[in-house]
Amino acid sequence: MIRLRNILTVTAGVAVSSALMMAPAHADGNRVECTKLSNGTLCISLNTSPSRIEVFYNKDGGGTITAHLGFRSSAGTTYGAKKTISAHERANSTWNISYPCRPYVGLLKVDGQGTFETPKADC
């Protein structure tokens, strides 16, 4: 016999798991900023243990795009390799670096469409 409480517990667990796949939590050592775009969500995550910057894009719909993920700070702009991203896919680029504490902006440079950015993430 399946109890309603068990069903609700499983449902809540699935919802939490799905939310964590979208964006890392604002846990100790992580600073995350995201922006909702028309066909997905673009995020930047500054991680301090280990020191790395991750930029990821969860594409919810629309056609396939070709894009570079990157980040910008007062020291300049860095892009990862070009990626082809289809609907319902997640693309990410990660840089393992020791970074000074300053604002960083996540970037999505889409061929033929321009560049989209996150709000500033700061340590």
Side-chain angles (χ1 to χ4, degrees):
M1 179 174 174
I2 298 176
R3 295 180 181 224
L4 180 58
R5 181 171 50 177
N6 292 345
I7 292 171
L8 293 175
T9 300
V10 169
T11 303
V14 169
V16 168
S17 296
S18 297
L20 290 175
M21 287 180 63
M22 274 299 283
H26 286 274
D28 291 338
N30 289 340
R31 299 296 180 256
V32 179
E33 290 293 337
C34 298
T35 190
K36 180 73 175 142
L37 303 174
S38 61
N39 287 315
T41 304
L42 175 64
C43 299
I44 185 170
S45 174
L46 305 179
N47 302 284
T48 57
S49 186
S51 295
R52 71 179 185 269
I53 295 173
E54 180 181 11
V55 177
F56 56 95
Y57 178 57
N58 291 306
K59 188 159 177 43
D60 300 328
T64 300
I65 60 171
T66 302
H68 292 273
L69 293 167
F71 65 91
R72 182 180 65 236
S73 72
S74 58
T77 302
T78 299
Y79 283 103
K82 190 177 276 194
K83 299 174 185 283
T84 301
I85 312 165
S86 299
H88 310 294
E89 286 186 346
R90 175 185 169 128
N92 70 302
S93 291
T94 303
W95 296 267
N96 293 312
I97 60 174
S98 294
Y99 57 87
C101 189
R102 65 175 135 212
Y104 290 84
V105 173
L107 303 171
L108 175 69
K109 184 177 178 182
V110 181
D111 287 358
Q113 294 184 30
T115 303
F116 304 90
E117 57 185 57
T118 67
K120 291 178 182 176
D122 207 344
C123 347

